[in-house]
């Protein structure tokens, strides 16, 4: 059987594979490789959540769910995020339950952006955003934060908007940030909010790592400028529910109604038994995120000095569970080549920084979401590999 000679969508055929996933596939089958790559919490899902999913299946909660999300879950989500982050959403009309944050991003971009509309993207940032933006026919306007300790400033926003050659409709904020772990104080959020208001741009605020904020409160743009913010969160990082794929979009009811048109088309609804499990997670399992946060913080404090001792330049993360480290000067500036050889010869896999920004080619990202044993062994292998490189040179 021959395939049609009709052309495929050039947006897809011209789209490069996601660098994060592509690199993981490249190193996946290396014998004995230890992976410090994925943002996969090294914790099991709480038994109460698993029981809720099991009970739902047993009780035949296996039919079509309400597309926007089951009413009880939407109400609980509004209550949970309002209480946790000082928000003021009113009711079930302010929220959509999505198939993880990945779907949420696609829903939001396709709703807010027209063809060739500009999206400000502080980089380095989560690479799959770039593909979602292409699918939404938007235009990426990069703001490079590598020279400002990965912090966005109002001045950077002003400059980017002024120099843009397309209409700027929105900015995509992710904090604590993947891959750097950088976050923002209340004063910094207020200063950024002022410039977003000045330029009248939507704030797409992906706060999936919010509960994993160390040493300070997490402040949401949805608290400061709610009418201008589309708030995104989920349960993958807070409750280790990566495989359940539960995300939330919260915003003004009129905007949510428009986004529901996209969500209903892309996914229709996530399974009812998963929504029942998510309800229990939000309502009853409030201790697990705090326990995980303390474990991650201890890992951060243990590993950062080891990397610095090896000569890496590391901005100490204020949240999430990643270390974004610049290669020591004597090891060059090619993070792609370093990461590949580290996997092949040192038997530990990390992610090259170029997957998050072309300006971050000299960096690697290390996930400390893995178990303590894997993390310690991975850092030991990294240290051994670098020591050998230096002896050979």
């Amino acid at each position: 059987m021959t395939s049609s000679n009709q052309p495929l969508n050039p947006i897809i055929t011209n789209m490069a594979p996601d660098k994060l996933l592509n690199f993981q596939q490249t190193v996946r089958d290396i014998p004995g490789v230890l992976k410090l790559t994925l943002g996969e919490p090294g914790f099991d899902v709480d038994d109460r959540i698993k029981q809720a999913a099991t009970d739902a299946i047993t009780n035949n909660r296996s039919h079509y769910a309400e597309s926007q999300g089951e009413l009880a879950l939407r109400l609980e989500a509004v209550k949970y995020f309002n209480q946790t982050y000082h928000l003021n959403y009113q009711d079930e009309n302010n929220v959509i339950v999505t198939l993880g944050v990945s779907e949420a991003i696609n829903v939001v971009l396709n709703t807010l952006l027209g063809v060739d509309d500009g999206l400000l993207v502080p980089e380095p940032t989560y690479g799959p955003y770039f593909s979602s933006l292409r699918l939404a026919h938007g235009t990426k306007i990069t703001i490079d934060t590598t020279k400002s300790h990965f912090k966005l400033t109002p001045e950077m926003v002003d400059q980017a908007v002024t120099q843009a050659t397309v209409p700027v409709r929105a900015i995509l904020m992710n904090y604590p940030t993947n891959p750097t772990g950088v976050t923002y104080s209340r004063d910094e959020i207020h200063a950024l909010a002022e410039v977003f208001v000045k330029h009248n741009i939507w704030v797409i605020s992906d706060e999936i790592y919010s509960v994993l904020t160390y040493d300070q409160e997490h402040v949401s743009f949805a608290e400061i400028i709610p009418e201008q913010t589309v708030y995104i969160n989920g349960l993958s990082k807070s409750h280790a529910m990566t495989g359940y794929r539960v995300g939330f979009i919260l915003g003004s009811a009129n905007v949510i109604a428009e986004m529901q048109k996209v969500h209903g088309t892309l996914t229709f609804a996530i399974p009812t038994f998963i929504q029942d499990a998510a309800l229990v997670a939000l309502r009853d399992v409030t201790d697990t995120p705090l326990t995980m946060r303390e474990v991650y913080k201890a890992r951060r404090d243990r590993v950062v000095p080891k990397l610095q001792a090896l000569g890496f330049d590391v901005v100490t993360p204020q949240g999430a569970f990643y270390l974004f480290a610049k290669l020591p000067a004597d090891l060059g500036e090619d993070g792609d080549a370093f990461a590949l050889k580290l996997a092949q010869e040192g038997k530990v896999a990390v992610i090259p920084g170029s997957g998050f920004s072309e300006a971050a080619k000299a960096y690697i990202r290390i996930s400390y979401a893995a178990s303590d044993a894997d993390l310690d062994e991975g850092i030991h292998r990294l240290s051994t590999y670098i020591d050998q490189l230096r002896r050979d040179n």
Side-chain angles (χ1 to χ4, degrees):
M1 182 177 181
T2 58
S3 60
S4 170
N5 59 5
Q6 289 290 336
L8 301 177
N9 182 350
I11 291 178
I12 304 302
T13 57
N14 293 329
M15 186 185 298
D18 174 61
K19 286 190 173 183
L20 193 156
L21 294 177
N22 202 43
F23 183 80
Q24 291 186 99
Q25 290 175 348
T26 300
V27 303
R28 178 183 56 198
D29 297 325
I30 295 174
V33 71
L34 191 155
K35 298 171 185 174
L36 301 180
T37 50
L38 271 179
E40 173 70 68
F43 295 87
D44 293 327
V45 174
D46 187 281
D47 286 341
R48 290 167 287 181
I49 298 171
K50 290 189 284 188
Q51 190 62 53
T54 301
D55 289 346
I57 293 171
T58 300
N59 294 324
N60 296 312
R61 288 274 293 155
S62 306
H63 302 286
Y64 282 128
E66 186 175 350
S67 179
Q68 192 167 330
E70 294 291 273
L71 177 61
L73 177 56
R74 282 189 282 151
L75 289 171
E76 193 64 39
V78 167
K79 178 182 176 182
Y80 175 85
F81 292 114
N82 278 354
Q83 291 180 346
T84 306
Y85 300 114
H86 312 295
L87 310 184
N88 193 35
Y89 293 112
Q90 296 304 303
D91 55 35
E92 70 275 11
N93 297 310
N94 294 115
V95 60
I96 301 172
V97 183
T98 63
L99 192 66
V101 166
S102 295
E103 191 223 339
I105 289 292
N106 283 280
V107 168
V108 172
L109 293 182
N110 276 281
T111 306
L112 297 186
L113 302 180
V115 175
D116 295 328
D117 279 347
L119 176 71
L120 300 177
V121 183
E123 294 183 19
T125 194
Y126 181 56
Y129 289 153
F130 308 149
S131 297
S132 294
L133 180 57
R134 290 288 303 278
L135 292 175
H137 302 277
T139 299
K140 179 162 71 85
I141 302 171
T142 296
I143 304 178
D144 179 16
T145 67
T146 55
K147 293 180 175 60
S148 59
H149 302 289
F150 306 117
K151 280 281 184 92
L152 181 71
T153 66
E155 293 75 21
M156 290 178 180
V157 177
D158 274 329
Q159 183 179 26
V161 173
T162 301
Q163 295 178 351
T165 58
V166 296
V168 179
R169 302 300 186 200
I171 185 166
L172 178 52
M173 297 294 298
N174 164 235
Y175 66 104
T177 303
N178 176 8
T180 66
V182 162
T183 196
Y184 297 87
S185 68
R186 179 170 289 274
D187 287 345
E188 289 169 330
I189 293 291
H190 271 284
L192 287 169
E194 286 182 12
V195 75
F196 298 155
V197 169
K198 180 175 77 171
H199 293 295
N200 190 30
I201 56 177
W202 285 105
V203 183
I204 305 167
S205 199
D206 178 357
E207 302 178 28
I208 185 68
Y209 295 100
S210 56
V211 75
L212 304 179
T213 301
Y214 314 130
D215 306 320
Q216 60 179 298
E217 67 170 339
H218 175 85
V219 181
S220 176
F221 283 105
E223 176 192 350
I224 309 304
I225 45 172
E227 294 302 315
Q228 205 167 317
T229 299
V230 177
Y231 176 88
I232 298 173
N233 215 316
L235 302 182
S236 291
K237 315 304 181 181
S238 61
H239 290 75
M241 293 172 65
T242 51
Y244 286 66
R245 311 307 304 135
V246 182
F248 303 96
I249 305 170
L250 289 95
S252 301
N254 62 322
V255 176
I256 289 294
E258 297 302 316
M259 291 184 177
Q260 170 57 26
K261 298 175 185 177
V262 183
H263 166 68
T265 302
L266 288 179
T267 305
F268 182 72
I270 73 170
T272 46
F273 55 89
I274 289 178
Q275 295 198 50
D276 286 2
L279 174 63
V280 169
L282 291 177
R283 187 188 65 208
D284 300 335
V285 187
T286 56
D287 50 339
T288 297
L290 304 181
T291 300
M292 291 194 297
R293 183 176 66 193
E294 293 309 307
V295 171
Y296 293 140
K297 181 182 174 184
R299 290 176 184 170
R300 175 202 68 175
D301 293 343
R302 191 169 75 249
V303 174
V304 167
K306 294 181 180 180
L307 292 176
Q308 291 172 333
L310 289 170
F312 286 95
D313 182 4
V314 187
V315 175
T316 301
Q318 301 160 304
F321 39 55
Y322 306 109
L323 294 163
F324 205 57
K326 188 175 185 180
L327 295 178
D330 63 320
L331 299 184
E333 296 187 346
D334 190 344
D336 294 75
F338 177 85
L340 182 58
K341 287 202 167 190
L342 174 63
Q344 292 170 335
E345 300 174 13
K347 303 299 182 184
V348 58
V350 299
I351 298 292
S354 64
F356 307 95
S357 173
E358 286 302 318
K361 194 171 176 62
Y363 290 79
I364 58 173
R365 190 196 76 176
I366 299 171
S367 170
Y368 55 94
S371 68
D372 284 316
D374 281 352
L375 180 62
D376 290 341
E377 175 62 21
I379 298 301
H380 171 71
R381 293 185 188 184
L382 173 66
S383 178
T384 300
Y385 174 72
I386 290 176
D387 288 345
Q388 185 63 51
L389 279 181
R390 287 170 171 160
R391 283 195 298 270
D392 292 344
N393 293 332

